[in-house]
Amino acid sequence: MKLAFQDAPDGLLSLSATKLLTYKRCPQAYSFKYERGLTSPSAFGSPKFGNALHGALADIYRDWNYAYPLPSLDWFAICWQQHTGELSSTQIHEGWMALQLYYERYMAPLPQIRKPLGVEGKIKANFQVNNIEFSLAGHYDRLDYFGDGLELIDYKTSKIVKPSDGIDWQLGLYNLILEQTYHQALQRLSLIYLRQGQRITYDVTPEHHRQVRELIGDLAVKLRIDQEWEPEVGGHCVRCGYQKYCPAKSEKLEPIPEGAKEGRQMQLVLGL
Ligand code: SF4
């Protein structure tokens, strides 16, 4: 038996770590975002700074001439200048400081760099759990060869070093996708905090693989039968953009905006 869902173009359920984590934290927030299609104001301000740094690092690795062993800091400056057009002078300065720190910590000590398998890439794979077929999709900042497998690199531009919740789900999900896409196992995931020049690395274990398949299977069944998207109040509410619609957090509820989707009885579109 293969379950088909109304709105998935290929009849599959699309899944990502972000959606999975949103649901796990709070089904009500999940419903607002993915069922009703409500936008949530970002708590983190303009994404321009992060986009500029990600863009510069992508160029640094993608456009480098790998006939030469190591880029110079000048190469970093050239790539950075391509992405500063919409930034304030403070942001340009902070971004350049972050890139210099990156260069000192992660580039200059190397004898040479190896061309990544991919830079700012999108990946997708299908798999089946509990007789439900999922479509998994995600994107990555950089994908490197590591040992006899792969390493994912995720750049962070936050002002504090705070690994995101649900990192285990991300490891498990990315592993599922990469195994199918590249036929190589994900060995580890590294978060690089650019402002602080700090790297946190997680090793992928068989347990991640097992856990994520189990969770997705359980969640699939639960989502199919969920009639009520229950609020799950917790520390995460502070950063929730849906508080004004949430019966658990607001005594004076604002009406759901006109034009919001009606929602569906069956839903499973999750994303990394
Ligand atoms: S405010 Fe809290 S309980 Fe309400 S939707 Fe947001 S995360 Fe869920």
Side-chain angles (χ1 to χ4, degrees), residues 56-107:
L57 280 160
D59 288 354
I60 285 166
Y61 282 93
R62 187 171 43 217
D63 298 340
W64 175 244
N65 180 350
Y66 286 87
Y68 298 93
L70 210 60
S72 66
L73 194 56
D74 287 345
W75 174 244
F76 273 50
I78 291 167
C79 294
W80 177 233
Q81 283 160 14
Q82 307 305 312
H83 295 273
T84 55
E86 296 186 33
L87 301 184
S88 67
S89 55
T90 303
Q91 288 174 318
I92 292 172
H93 174 71
E94 287 181 359
W96 179 234
M97 297 294 284
L99 285 174
Q100 287 184 87
L101 196 52
Y102 182 95
Y103 186 84
E104 284 167 19
R105 300 252 168 109
Y106 306 114
M107 188 72 76

Side-chain angles (χ1 to χ4, degrees), residues 9-252:
D10 51 7
L12 307 183
L13 304 177
S14 65
L15 184 70
S16 75
T18 304
K19 288 183 177 177
L20 192 59
L21 185 60
T22 302
Y23 181 84
K24 192 167 183 299
R25 276 199 199 117
C26 177
Q28 176 75 90
Y30 174 91
S31 169
F32 285 140
K33 185 168 185 179
Y34 299 109
E35 288 288 289
R36 309 300 305 271
L38 300 179
T39 54
S40 167
S42 168
F44 303 103
S46 166
K48 286 178 185 169
F49 179 75
N51 290 345
L53 270 176
H54 278 77
L57 280 160
D59 288 354
I60 285 166
Y61 282 93
R62 187 171 43 217
D63 298 340
W64 175 244
N65 180 350
Y66 286 87
Y68 298 93
L70 210 60
S72 66
L73 194 56
D74 287 345
W75 174 244
F76 273 50
I78 291 167
C79 294
W80 177 233
Q81 283 160 14
Q82 307 305 312
H83 295 273
T84 55
E86 296 186 33
L87 301 184
S88 67
S89 55
T90 303
Q91 288 174 318
I92 292 172
H93 174 71
E94 287 181 359
W96 179 234
M97 297 294 284
L99 285 174
Q100 287 184 87
L101 196 52
Y102 182 95
Y103 186 84
E104 284 167 19
R105 300 252 168 109
Y106 306 114
M107 188 72 76
L110 301 175
Q112 64 179 82
I113 58 168
R114 187 176 179 185
K115 188 173 185 178
L117 179 57
V119 171
E120 289 204 332
K122 290 185 178 172
I123 44 179
K124 194 175 175 188
N126 299 335
F127 81 111
Q128 204 176 62
V129 176
N130 293 351
N131 289 327
I132 299 175
E133 195 155 1
F134 291 88
S135 172
L136 297 174
H139 74 276
Y140 57 80
D141 291 337
R142 202 174 88 221
L143 187 59
D144 285 350
Y145 295 100
F146 178 77
D148 58 355
L150 302 170
E151 177 178 12
L152 270 176
I153 307 293
D154 195 11
Y155 303 123
K156 300 288 185 189
T157 55
S158 53
K159 289 188 176 174
I160 53 169
V161 175
K162 184 176 179 296
S164 53
D165 297 339
I167 198 77
D168 287 340
W169 310 117
Q170 292 186 46
L171 292 174
L173 281 173
Y174 275 114
N175 189 32
L176 281 174
I177 300 175
L178 290 169
E179 272 193 334
Q180 202 176 107
T181 308
Y182 295 108
H183 306 292
Q184 293 192 63
L186 179 65
Q187 303 281 349
R188 62 186 203 176
L189 166 69
S190 288
L191 309 179
I192 299 183
Y193 289 82
L194 297 171
R195 289 176 186 269
Q196 299 81 4
Q198 198 171 327
R199 178 180 191 140
I200 301 177
T201 295
Y202 302 88
D203 291 322
V204 180
T205 67
E207 187 63 9
H208 289 121
H209 196 92
R210 189 193 64 74
Q211 276 179 355
V212 81
R213 292 182 77 94
E214 198 173 287
L215 176 77
I216 293 168
D218 291 349
L219 189 57
V221 174
K222 189 162 190 298
L223 283 167
R224 283 175 48 226
I225 60 174
D226 243 342
Q227 300 297 317
E228 299 290 335
W229 301 91
E230 295 288 343
E232 182 72 39
V233 176
H236 50 265
C237 293
V238 176
R239 294 161 62 182
C240 176
Y242 303 114
Q243 291 190 32
K244 57 191 176 186
Y245 309 125
C246 176
K249 288 300 286 183
S250 178
E251 290 180 2
K252 207 172 168 192

